[in-house]
Amino acid sequence: MSVTLVCGGLLAGTQARACADAATVATSRRLGAEAGGLAAAGDFAGALERYRAALTALPVSPACESPRGELQGLIARCLERLCRLEEALALHRTRLGTPGVVAKGHLLIQPGPGVEGAVVRGPDASPVEARCANGYLLPPGEYRVDARTAGGPVERTVQVTAGQTTSLTLEAPPAPPPPVASPPPEVVVVTPPREVDDAPCTTCRTWAWAGVITAGAATLGAGIAYGAALGADEEMNDAAARQRRLAGARPPDVEGAALAARQAEDARDTRDALRPVTYALVGIGLASVALAVVMFQLAPEAPGTPAPADGPALGFRF
């Protein structure tokens, strides 16, 4: 395009010699050369200004029709590079009678969400370069648009009409629905019936009988200890009486009285030792009786024979 603009500018300056005076031709050539240099450098706005100045310098006459048409074509190409497509189309419409000029149409690509990129292909399946962002200036005809999306490739066909703008909206195909997960198997928690313990409290009865036995043994021991204490008390009284008798005899029996005094003292010690034992055994016996009574009260009665369940019973009849 840049080379075409440069060469076109020089050609316009050459053809202008036949339709204007030397000064006008020189001005047109200078402006055309400046426009061609700016176009080569990519400054299409500056080139557009210079080409329009060169067109204004040439007079409107049948002799200048050819160079003026050439300059108008270069101006239209500058407008295309500047994405001023409506102005370029309007200028092309004024030159439909000029040989080599074909009115084009504007294709506008509007990518939707999920569209990553689009490529426009001509009738020969070759890709077409975009002149502007998402804009294509194309000769009339049918074109194919290939787009990449997250859901896969998308292909569309569009018809471009001369002098008109055709908009094509690209949308990504809907994503397939996620697979429906099967519901988890229902877990039924079966709580086993709680077994009722109807067995008697064997421990309570054991403690009750232990209390009875202990009470009996303590009572027996207390009776024996009490009897032994009474015997020691009687022996002490006898030894004390013997001591007094021997000490009062004439002549007094000193040795016998001393022996009797020792026997009385030993009997007194035995009696005093057996008294606490008797009291302790009586207390143990009373506590054992109380424990036995309490345990017998807490122990449940033995379960009876269970009643037969309702319904038919299976068995053998002899």
Side-chain angles (χ1 to χ4, degrees):
M1 174 65 73
S2 300
V3 176
T4 304
L5 292 176
V6 174
C7 296
L10 296 178
L11 180 60
T14 303
Q15 293 178 343
R17 298 176 184 177
C19 68
D21 54 64
T24 301
V25 171
T27 301
S28 179
R29 293 185 60 184
R30 177 177 58 81
L31 293 173
E34 291 177 1
L38 293 174
D43 185 5
F44 298 104
L48 176 62
E49 182 181 356
R50 296 296 191 280
Y51 280 134
R52 283 179 170 173
L55 179 63
T56 304
L58 294 178
V60 179
S61 63
C64 295
E65 182 178 355
S66 178
R68 286 181 60 85
E70 185 95 13
L71 287 173
Q72 288 175 350
L74 296 173
I75 291 172
R77 293 188 180 93
C78 287
L79 291 172
E80 293 175 6
R81 299 305 298 268
L82 294 174
C83 293
R84 296 162 61 177
L85 303 180
E86 297 298 334
E87 298 180 40
L89 288 175
L91 188 56
H92 278 305
R93 292 190 185 101
T94 63
R95 303 179 58 251
L96 291 178
T98 305
V101 176
V102 178
K104 299 181 180 180
H106 182 207
L107 175 61
L108 180 61
I109 304 295
Q110 297 178 350
V115 178
E116 301 176 359
V119 177
V120 179
R121 300 184 182 276
D124 56 352
S126 60
V128 179
E129 295 183 0
R131 298 294 183 87
C132 308
N134 298 331
Y136 297 80
L137 195 63
L138 304 173
E142 187 177 83
Y143 294 85
R144 191 185 73 192
V145 180
D146 299 331
R148 300 187 307 274
T149 66
V154 174
E155 180 179 331
R156 296 288 186 271
T157 301
V158 62
Q159 184 71 33
V160 177
T161 305
Q164 297 183 7
T165 299
T166 304
S167 298
L168 177 64
T169 302
L170 298 177
E171 297 181 355
V180 179
S182 58
E186 183 179 359
V187 179
V188 180
V189 180
V190 179
T191 304
R194 187 178 64 177
E195 298 181 358
V196 179
D197 189 6
D198 294 334
C201 181
T202 56
T203 304
C204 294
R205 293 186 177 275
T206 300
W207 280 104
W209 285 113
V212 172
I213 295 173
T214 304
T219 302
L220 178 62
I224 294 173
Y226 183 72
L230 292 178
D233 186 60
E234 183 178 356
E235 184 179 354
M236 180 192 68
N237 293 331
D238 291 344
R242 190 169 55 251
Q243 177 190 5
R244 288 191 299 270
R245 186 174 64 250
L246 291 176
R250 294 292 183 267
D253 189 356
V254 178
E255 294 182 359
L259 178 60
R262 288 195 296 270
Q263 290 177 352
E265 186 67 25
D266 292 341
R268 182 182 297 107
D269 293 341
T270 302
R271 183 199 63 183
D272 294 342
L274 289 175
R275 281 180 179 175
V277 174
T278 302
Y279 298 150
L281 291 176
V282 170
I284 292 174
L286 294 176
S288 298
V289 170
L291 175 64
V293 172
V294 172
M295 290 296 105
F296 272 118
Q297 291 295 329
L298 296 178
E301 297 181 359
T305 305
D310 297 336
L314 299 179
F316 296 95
R317 178 177 296 178
F318 298 94

